Amino acid sequence: MAHRPERRRIHLDQSELLCIKGCGFYGNTAWQGLCSKCWREENQREKQKQIQDDWALAERLQREEEEAYATRHQQAQSQPSVTPFSKFEERKTREKSSKVNTVTRFFTPSIKIPPKKDAATPLDAQSSSPSSSCTASRPSSADTDHATREFIDFLRPLKYGRQIFKQCRAFTESMAYKRDTHADDMSECVQDFYQNLSERLHTQFKGSSDYVEGIMDEVERYMMTRLYKEAFCPETSDDEKKDLAIQKRIRALHWVTIEMLGVPVDDEIPEASDSVVKAITDVIEIDSKRVPKEKLACITRCSKHIFNAIRISKKEAASADDFLPTLIYIVLKANPPRLQSNIQYITRYCNPSRLMTGEDGYYFTNLCCAVAFIEKLDGKSLNMTSEEFDRYMSGGQASPSHQPAGGATLSQVHKRLDLLTGLGQRQELVMEQARQLESDLIDWTDEVEQKVQSVLDAFETQNPSAVPGATTSVAKGSPTASSAIDSDNVENEHLPPPLTPQVFAG
């Protein structure tokens, strides 16, 4: 038997979750290991540099074109006759000028302004008709109407609630004119709005951190519910392509077991198995939510169920080295729908402070690491050779020879099926005994009635004069015979009538 190398544990140091810039916030693989703050700064610097380079190129092309035009104009004056070749040169000059002007207009800010709404609309009127703010290109739905009503109800007691609602409504309506905008540019617009509104709440409205955080949560819920169709998996991104790739990859890894990943969960324990099922349900539920915060809440619940399963199995608290392999196993077994689209949606449109710190940011960063690990999973990670790994991936071998796939799970399923079979047999026995008891009760009732009737018949036969006027010809069981036997005052029937009162005439 060939000696297998020692299994490599899936280890992830906590420092690997942090931003590579060393700012102390959680990083993200979608941002090349940077946190949202550092990523935005790097992205803005690159865009500014690109804009400056494009402007310099446009200005150089414009200068060259002007110099060439001046030279051609001088030559045209010295040659009054126009030749066919000169007409061709003029046409080429006009085409090049058009191209330069197009480049210049591309970097000029657009002056297109979406139509303004009535700014004097009171908040209560907006509450009564929340769908009035929807444009013709953005039809209203039950979810958006409900989100609008909840947002208005939340802002109504606030002093500056009306201003906040107007700004959020105006921004969401303006985003309807940016359907063809690239997903990263749309994300930057939303993040800029978050940042500006948060700073305004801190400075102008003098709100505390918790107070501002609560308002920003409701702002995110309202805006992203309304922008969900435009923001989630847009056509300008490759999210759908990534979804299909990771889904195909997870399906190809269906043979991976708990033992291969070194997951410290004993699915023979019912409580641990239930926690695993709940974790799988939570990670699948991510796709049913619209708000980034709610999607993060699903990830957090999934992670807590994972920690609970590990704690029950190991009888001690779980570590980070235990958590990540279990999370990888949960993702493999769940194969969540549109996984990459949901990760990108959270990355682009979630409140950045929630991703940089806190348990939501920690669990989300671990999920991104788990997905990245699945994409790069190889034979060494599973303690097997490359040839074995390739055979499993191609379907040439159903499961590893040293460990049957899903053996523990199948064993547990068989045990529960045996238990159900035993319960079915016991239920049939109980039903049979119940039917026998019912038959016995009927027989006992008939027997008691027969005995009572025989006693009555014997009494009537032995004492025929006990009842006045009674004869032996009285039918058995007749009411007359029964009433004569049960009568208590048979001998006092001939008493004199009672005295009648008389009026005294004295």
Side-chain angles (χ1 to χ4, degrees), residues 473-501:
S473 62
V474 178
K476 294 182 180 181
S478 64
T480 305
S482 299
S483 62
I485 294 175
D486 296 337
S487 178
D488 295 331
N489 299 317
V490 176
E491 299 177 356
N492 298 328
E493 289 182 352
H494 302 290
L495 291 176
L499 297 176
T500 59

Side-chain angles (χ1 to χ4, degrees), residues 26 31 296 346-347 350-357 361 364-365:
Y26 291 124
W31 295 324
L296 280 176
I346 295 173
T347 301
C350 185
N351 191 343
S353 62
R354 191 175 294 111
L355 295 182
M356 294 190 298
T357 58
F364 178 70
T365 304

